[in-house]
Each structure stands twice: as C-alpha cells, then as structure tokens.
Amino acid sequence: GIECQPAQGAMYAFPSVKIPQGSIDEAHRTGQTPDGLYALSLLEETGICVVPGSGFGQKKGRIGFRTTFLPPEEKMAGVVREFERHHKMFCEKYA
C-alpha cells in the first residue's frame, strides 16, 4: 500500500499511499486532508513524523507524504517495519 521512487541526491522521499475510502471519508468529515489524517495517525502510533503531501501541491487524487530518512542505517529496518505495521493497522481501522 506504500509506493515510492528511489530518492536521488536528496534525503527526502515522497511516498504515495493507498488508503481505504473510509479513511478519506473520515478525513473529510473531520475537516482534514486524507494525507493529514494518515500523517497524524503515523505520528501518534509510531512517533514517526512525516509531512502531508497536500502541502506540496501533489496531483489531485494522490495521497502521500514527504519524509526525511535520518535514522542510522542499522535502525532503518526497524523504521520500515514500523511504517508497515502502521499502514496495516490504519487500513484495517478504516476498511
């Protein structure tokens, strides 16, 4: 449910996420953007901070975020597992 082009020459990555319609509906109901809802959930559940892509003029219909990968290389696998764990939890919650 998360796709990303390899970062080239920068520490930023701009993954896109596929999320259930229920989460999009919840975001609109609460006055948030879908990527804002996702980013806040990610922060609250894992402590990982990302910036909603809607703040960067992403294409209409795209849901994603900007992230900076700064953890030491030996901790990267754990960070990726946390992204995966959160994404599964988020999708189940709003399925």
Side-chain angles (χ1 to χ4, degrees):
I2 300 175
E3 296 178 359
C4 188
Q5 298 295 320
Q8 296 181 5
M11 61 183 171
Y12 297 117
F14 292 88
S16 61
V17 294
K18 293 186 184 347
I19 58 176
Q21 184 63 45
S23 63
I24 296 168
D25 296 342
E26 177 67 9
H28 293 151
R29 187 185 72 73
T30 58
Q32 300 178 69
T33 60
D35 53 0
L37 179 70
Y38 189 89
L40 184 58
S41 173
L42 182 65
L43 179 62
E44 290 172 344
E45 292 292 327
T46 69
I48 297 172
C49 184
V50 298
V51 180
S54 56
F56 296 94
Q58 66 187 352
K59 277 187 190 175
K60 184 177 173 128
R62 181 186 186 275
I63 299 170
F65 53 87
R66 182 184 84 175
T67 187
T68 306
F69 287 98
L70 298 174
E73 193 170 331
E74 64 273 7
K75 292 187 178 184
M76 189 60 72
V79 172
V80 171
R81 280 192 300 274
E82 281 296 285
F83 267 106
E84 180 181 21
R85 181 186 68 77
H86 171 265
H87 189 73
K88 287 179 181 178
M89 180 275 313
F90 185 88
C91 290
E92 288 172 3
K93 179 178 179 178
Y94 292 105

